[in-house]
């Protein structure tokens, strides 16, 4: 009994400590009557999100390369919900074109960075032009969109919570054979998001990263045709989702201000396994992540509480044993005092 108590005590201590530190504050990011700007919005997940946001009363703007597809998307949304959306034809690799489109669209409340391209191939067989194409569209394009949108997002008049959502992939949670370049571009979005969240939380802007699995879209159908055989076997172990299903999960995560938004059971397991130092609102999830982290160190591990604009305090939490340690490291906890005052 004494041994059991000694084993359980550190978990209880950690649980109570996280309740005190995190103190979850529910966040609701409204969609109705707000401006939702979606890149890659002419098809797939982006179009499904546009339909959903428009049906909830949002003012929707879409950006994509193909004007023809944008016009088709606009008409489909008009027929389904009666909403008139704004469309902008631009390549996310062209910062000046993106900036002009965003300035023409006006201040944004919810920015969904959804554009993405994918050419599955082993790195040894893949041309560097394809690697650069994926990095330029998926990662650099996201920098272009966010950088262009941020000034107007910070100047929004209502000061209600706003959102920047990046659509990543489960290949942005774990590397997969044949996805070397694609995974690199999607892993990069997570690093972008973690750092960006610290920069914009003082402006009541909440960053989300959505991790869809294989999704039934026009691009997915083309991708399957050229996948390496081993990639087909690995990907076949997980069920694909419909774009509408991903959109519902993504929008719910955006509205709740969640940082990591997995879309299925596999995604939730990967989110826990790869939590790292990501922002976390829920003390239950923080407890799961922290108690599951183990290393061989016996040194105290610092816990830093980052407030909206400053480091509030530092608490050393000693490890229990070298084989069982709490590795909280730097956990960015979203205490948005400025936004709640």
């Amino acid at each position: 009994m004494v041994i059991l108590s000694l084993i359980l005590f550190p978990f209880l201590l950690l649980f109570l400590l996280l309740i005190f530190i995190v103190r979850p504050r529910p966040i609701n990011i409204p969609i109705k009557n707000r401006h939702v700007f979606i890149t890659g919005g002419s098809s797939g997940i982006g179009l499904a999100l546009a339909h959903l946001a428009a049906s909830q009363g949002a003012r929707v703007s879409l950006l994509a390369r193909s004007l023809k597809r944008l016009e088709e998307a606009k008409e489909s949304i008009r027929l389904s919900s009666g909403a008139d959306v704004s469309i902008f034809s631009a390549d996310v690799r062209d910062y000046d074109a993106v900036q002009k489109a965003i300035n023409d669209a006006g201040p944004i409340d919810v920015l969904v960075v959804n554009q993405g391209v994918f050419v599955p191939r082993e790195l040894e067989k893949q041309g560097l032009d394809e690697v650069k194409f994926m990095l330029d569209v998926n990662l650099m394009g996201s920098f272009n969109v966010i950088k262009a949108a941020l000034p107007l997002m910070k100047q929004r008049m209502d000061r209600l919570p706003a959102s920047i959502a990046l659509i990543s992939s489960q290949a942005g949670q774990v590397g997969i054979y044949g996805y070397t370049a694609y995974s690199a571009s999607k892993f990069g979005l997570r690093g972008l998001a973690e750092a960006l969240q610290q920069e914009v939380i003082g402006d009541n802007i909440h960053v989300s990263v959505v991790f869809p699995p294989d999704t039934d879209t026009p691009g997915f159908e083309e991708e399957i045709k050229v996948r390496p055989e081993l990639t087909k076997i690995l990907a076949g172990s997980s069920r694909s989702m419909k774009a509408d299903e991903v959109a519902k999960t993504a929008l719910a995560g955006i509205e709740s201000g969640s940082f990591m938004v997995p879309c299925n059971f596999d995604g939730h397991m990967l989110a826990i396994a790869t939590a790292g130092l990501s922002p976390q609102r829920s003390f239950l999830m923080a407890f799961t992540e922290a108690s599951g982290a183990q290393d061989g160190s016996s040194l105290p591990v610092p816990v830093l509480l980052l407030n909206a604009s400053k480091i509030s305090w530092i608490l050393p939490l000693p490890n229990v044993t070298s084989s069982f340690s709490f590795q909280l490291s730097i956990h960015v906890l979203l205490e948005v005092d400025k936004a709640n005052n």
Side-chain angles (χ1 to χ4, degrees):
M1 189 66 182
V2 174
I3 295 175
L4 180 61
S5 298
L6 289 174
I7 293 173
L8 294 178
F9 177 74
F11 284 102
L12 178 61
L13 178 63
L14 175 61
F15 187 76
L16 295 174
L17 183 62
L18 288 172
I19 292 176
F20 173 74
I21 294 174
V22 180
R23 289 171 292 168
R25 299 179 182 181
I27 292 292
N28 178 41
I29 298 174
I31 298 298
K32 187 177 181 179
N33 297 325
R34 306 193 81 200
H35 186 196
V36 178
F37 191 100
I38 304 171
T39 67
S42 62
S43 63
I45 295 172
L47 180 56
L49 276 166
H51 274 282
L52 195 55
S55 71
Q56 294 187 16
R59 178 169 74 89
V60 176
S61 295
L62 305 179
L63 182 144
R65 285 181 293 175
S66 171
L67 182 58
K68 180 182 178 182
R69 287 188 178 182
L70 282 167
E71 290 172 341
E72 292 171 351
K74 178 176 181 175
E75 180 64 11
S76 72
I77 294 171
R78 186 189 68 79
L79 291 174
S80 67
S81 64
D84 184 28
V85 306
S86 301
I87 57 174
F88 302 91
S89 177
D91 190 325
V92 294
R93 294 173 292 178
D94 184 343
Y95 176 76
D96 291 337
V98 169
Q99 187 176 48
K100 182 181 185 305
I102 287 175
N103 288 341
D104 290 345
I108 296 168
D109 300 299
V110 177
L111 175 65
V112 182
V113 186
N114 170 70
Q115 81 285 341
V117 293
F118 180 44
V119 183
R121 192 168 285 118
E122 298 95 334
L123 180 59
E124 185 180 5
K125 300 176 182 178
Q126 190 154 50
L128 289 177
D129 57 335
E130 289 181 342
V131 174
K132 187 176 186 300
F133 177 51
M134 283 184 272
L135 290 172
D136 283 349
V137 173
N138 300 350
L139 184 56
M140 197 64 216
S142 299
F143 276 98
N144 288 340
V145 171
I146 294 169
K147 183 172 175 60
L150 266 180
L152 290 178
M153 292 190 75
K154 291 185 175 183
Q155 293 170 17
R156 66 193 187 281
M157 298 301 294
D158 59 20
R159 306 310 297 172
L160 291 171
S163 172
I164 297 173
L166 297 103
I167 308 300
S168 180
S169 165
Q170 283 188 356
Q173 293 176 287
V174 60
I176 300 172
Y177 183 97
Y179 286 34
T180 308
Y182 182 71
S183 283
S185 70
K186 291 299 187 177
F187 267 82
L189 294 181
R190 164 110 175 235
L192 187 168
E194 288 191 8
L196 181 66
Q197 179 63 97
Q198 299 177 45
E199 296 178 9
V200 300
I201 193 64
D203 294 288
N204 204 9
I205 300 173
H206 303 265
V207 179
S208 297
V209 189
V210 183
F211 298 100
D214 284 343
T215 305
D216 295 332
T217 64
F220 177 61
E221 293 173 4
E222 293 301 314
E223 173 205 324
I224 291 176
K225 297 176 183 177
V226 295
R227 275 179 173 175
E229 286 302 316
L230 183 53
T231 306
K232 292 178 182 179
I233 295 171
L234 293 171
S237 64
S238 180
R239 183 184 72 87
S240 64
M241 293 180 67
K242 301 291 185 183
D244 291 344
E245 295 175 312
V246 173
K248 289 178 183 178
T249 301
L251 194 61
I254 291 168
E255 289 178 297
S256 64
S258 300
F259 180 78
M260 297 179 72
V261 185
C263 296
N264 60 8
F265 179 78
D266 292 346
H268 280 284
M269 294 300 98
L270 286 171
I272 293 172
T274 63
L277 309 180
S278 296
Q280 182 55 263
R281 291 190 182 284
S282 165
F283 67 84
L284 288 173
M285 283 301 296
F287 173 76
T288 302
E289 294 165 5
S291 61
Q294 299 185 26
D295 62 18
S297 169
S298 59
L299 297 175
V301 180
V303 179
L304 274 66
L305 174 60
L306 300 189
N307 215 324
S309 59
K310 62 183 180 180
I311 297 177
S312 297
W313 49 272
I314 302 174
L315 172 70
L317 181 64
N319 293 341
V320 180
T321 68
S322 59
S323 61
F324 174 75
S325 61
F326 298 123
Q327 189 182 3
L328 290 185
S329 202
I330 303 174
H331 230 288
V332 181
L333 305 173
L334 305 181
E335 295 283 342
V336 194
D337 290 338
K338 186 182 297 184
N340 285 280
N341 288 335

